[in-house]
């Protein structure tokens, strides 16, 4: 919000709410384009707090390995961790360990060999200088357009259409075909024509925000029968909050390299378990040395998504009290690390209006 950017298609879309906003991906490849590439397998006791009816054993034996085999570049190698650009990660490991947290090296959706080439000057500097969210110009980031989507297209049975914004979905009778109505966009986001797809099946995979928006819109317009009242309910904050510790005395190196690849878990803050992903934060001139942490907890309660017909947009209904215990736990846990890193833990209000990454 500090630098004006003219309206353009991709890479992020902001969805507004009463007390918080959410940001989601807007491009071919979805969230893989703009997330940090973290592939952190949740511990069983935390997984079962949220998904008690899903077998963690099956996830750990079959589904997690399947994804990691396909998109993971593995945990951060020792030679890269030892490089000057990764001093902040080494400091985080030392400080979190001294604070009694359980530290682990996460899998990431990045190619470490390409990051090595960044460090030797054979590729443009991107991930290794913390520049990996708004694309990654070295090619180190394993986004879905380079693996799953590319593999699907190579079968000859799949085509991808970009700059198609789905307006609504209708159906001809109870058993007739579906009609997917789209507007085609120019790069500035303005529509210049319309297109309709007629198909027997529709799978809506537009993320939690836009899948919900589409279903609620079709319900509000009466375009698609069978959308029940549960759609839009029990929506949560994704459990993440970006937190900052400012004025750290630990060595952060000349630049904080990425991607986020070190996690630390606090199982004993007296409230609920809290996890942190050390997130590279490169300071502006005059800004004191700062460490950013993506703090992860389970929200106390759920909120909801509603649809606003006048603005044709999803709206987030989220009471900040839904996260009171979780926010307190996150602050306590980060303060434990700050006792060793130095610096001051900023309250969440210091970073402006709360944002959720979805």
């Amino acid at each position: 919000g500090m630098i004006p950017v003219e309206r353009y298609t991709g890479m992020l879309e902001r969805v507004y709410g009463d007390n918080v906003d959410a940001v989601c991906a807007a491009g071919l490849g979805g969230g893989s384009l703009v997330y940090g590439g973290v592939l952190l397998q949740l511990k069983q006791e935390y997984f079962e707090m949220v998904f008690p009816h899903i077998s963690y054993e099956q996830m750990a034996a079959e589904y997690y390995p399947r994804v990691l085999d396909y998109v993971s570049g593995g945990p951060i190698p020792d030679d890269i961790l030892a490089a000057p650009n990764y001093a902040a990660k080494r400091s985080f490991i030392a400080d979190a360990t001294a604070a009694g947290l359980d530290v682990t090296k996460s899998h990431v959706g990045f190619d470490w060999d390409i990051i090595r080439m960044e460090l030797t000057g054979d590729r443009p500097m991107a991930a290794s200088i913390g520049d990996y969210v708004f694309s990654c110009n070295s090619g180190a980031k394993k986004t879905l357009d380079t693996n799953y989507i590319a593999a699907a297209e190579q079968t000859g049975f799949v085509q991808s259409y970009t700059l198609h914004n789905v307006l609504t979905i209708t159906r001809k009778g109870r058993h007739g075909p579906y009609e997917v109505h789209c507007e085609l966009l120019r790069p500035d986001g303005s529509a210049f024509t319309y297109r309709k797809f007629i198909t027997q099946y529709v799978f809506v995979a537009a993320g939690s925000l836009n899948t919900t928006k589409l279903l609620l819109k079709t319900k509000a317009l009466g375009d698609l029968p069978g959308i029940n009242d549960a759609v839009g309910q029990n929506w949560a904050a994704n459990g993440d909050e970006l937190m900052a510790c400012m004025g750290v005395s630990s060595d952060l190196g000349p630049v904080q390299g990425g991607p986020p690849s070190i996690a630390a878990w606090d199982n004993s803050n007296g409230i609920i378990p809290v996890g942190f992903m050390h997130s590279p934060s490169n300071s502006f001139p005059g800004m004191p040395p700062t460490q950013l942490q993506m703090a992860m907890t389970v929200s106390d309660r759920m909120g909801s998504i509603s649809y606003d017909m006048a603005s044709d947009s999803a709206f987030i209904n989220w009471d900040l009290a839904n996260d009171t215990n979780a926010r307190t736990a996150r602050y306590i846990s980060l303060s434990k690390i700050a006792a060793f890193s130095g610096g001051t833990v900023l309250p969440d209000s210091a970073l402006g209006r709360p944002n959720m990454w979805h």
Side-chain angles (χ1 to χ4, degrees):
M2 298 174 65
I3 303 172
V5 178
E6 291 186 9
R7 180 178 171 86
Y8 201 86
T9 51
M11 300 179 65
L12 288 174
E13 176 187 3
R14 180 182 293 274
V15 178
Y16 296 95
D18 50 5
N19 293 302
V20 298
D21 300 334
V23 184
C24 60
L28 181 65
S32 73
L33 300 175
V34 294
Y35 82 140
V38 177
L39 302 172
L40 180 63
Q41 181 172 330
L42 198 60
K43 294 176 180 290
Q44 182 169 358
E45 57 268 33
Y46 308 152
F47 182 98
E48 291 176 346
M49 288 171 62
V50 184
F51 304 113
H53 304 298
I54 298 176
S55 168
Y56 183 86
E57 288 78 9
Q58 185 180 20
M59 292 292 295
E62 182 176 354
Y63 295 109
Y64 283 132
R66 185 184 298 177
V67 172
L68 294 177
D69 287 346
Y70 199 54
V71 302
S72 174
I76 185 170
D78 290 342
D79 62 311
I80 294 179
L81 184 58
N85 288 23
Y86 292 86
K89 281 186 170 41
R90 299 194 298 273
S91 292
F92 176 67
I93 292 172
D95 295 336
T97 300
L101 274 65
D102 179 14
V103 178
T104 183
K105 295 179 179 179
S106 170
H107 281 258
V108 298
F110 278 77
D111 187 326
W112 291 111
D113 286 334
I114 292 180
I115 293 177
R116 285 191 180 95
M117 294 171 71
E118 291 184 30
L119 294 171
T120 58
D122 295 316
R123 287 285 181 102
M125 300 288 276
S128 59
I129 57 171
D131 186 7
Y132 54 82
V133 173
F134 302 106
S135 78
C136 182
N137 289 333
S138 68
K141 197 173 187 180
K142 296 187 172 187
T143 53
L144 296 189
D145 53 306
T146 68
N147 42 61
Y148 282 105
I149 296 173
E153 290 175 331
Q154 287 167 9
T155 66
F157 297 108
V158 173
Q159 289 179 279
S160 298
Y161 296 95
T162 57
L163 298 178
H164 282 55
N165 184 44
V166 177
L167 298 173
T168 190
I169 303 166
T170 60
R171 193 175 194 186
K172 294 288 187 181
R174 187 171 181 179
H175 302 291
Y178 292 95
E179 295 183 353
V180 181
H181 302 264
C182 305
E183 59 181 1
L184 274 63
L185 305 179
R186 298 183 181 93
D188 67 0
S190 61
F192 66 94
T193 189
Y194 292 84
R195 189 174 189 180
K196 180 172 68 175
F197 294 88
I198 300 175
T199 179
Q200 185 177 358
Y201 301 104
V202 176
F203 298 87
V204 185
S208 79
L209 290 159
N210 281 307
T211 296
T212 305
K213 173 193 168 181
L214 274 172
L215 295 178
L216 290 175
K217 182 178 180 179
T218 60
K219 180 181 179 182
L221 295 174
D223 286 343
L224 198 61
I227 306 299
N228 65 45
D229 291 338
V231 175
Q233 301 304 306
N234 296 316
W235 187 89
N238 209 22
D240 291 351
E241 179 185 321
L242 196 61
M243 302 186 70
C245 188
M246 189 168 283
V248 242
S249 54
S250 295
D251 180 16
L252 301 182
V255 64
Q256 296 187 40
S261 48
I262 309 296
W265 297 96
D266 183 9
N267 305 311
S268 57
N269 64 27
I271 303 176
I272 54 173
V274 175
F276 294 102
M277 282 301 308
H278 174 256
S279 301
S281 166
N282 291 303
S283 304
F284 297 103
M287 182 178 173
T290 301
Q291 275 195 331
L292 285 181
Q293 310 294 350
M294 182 60 79
M296 303 170 287
T297 49
V298 177
S299 300
D300 304 345
R301 297 193 299 274
M302 301 290 190
S304 65
I305 301 290
S306 55
Y307 173 70
D308 181 67
M309 183 80 75
S311 62
D312 185 28
S313 60
F315 187 82
I316 300 166
N317 308 288
W318 183 260
D319 187 341
L320 291 179
N322 288 4
D323 247 1
T324 299
N325 287 335
R327 289 163 66 202
T328 303
R330 293 190 290 257
Y331 188 86
I332 291 171
S333 293
L334 188 53
S335 297
K336 291 183 181 182
I337 299 175
F340 294 90
S341 69
T344 303
V345 178
L346 299 185
D348 50 13
S349 58
L351 298 180
R353 184 173 167 88
N355 285 283
M356 305 170 181
W357 289 76
H358 265 270

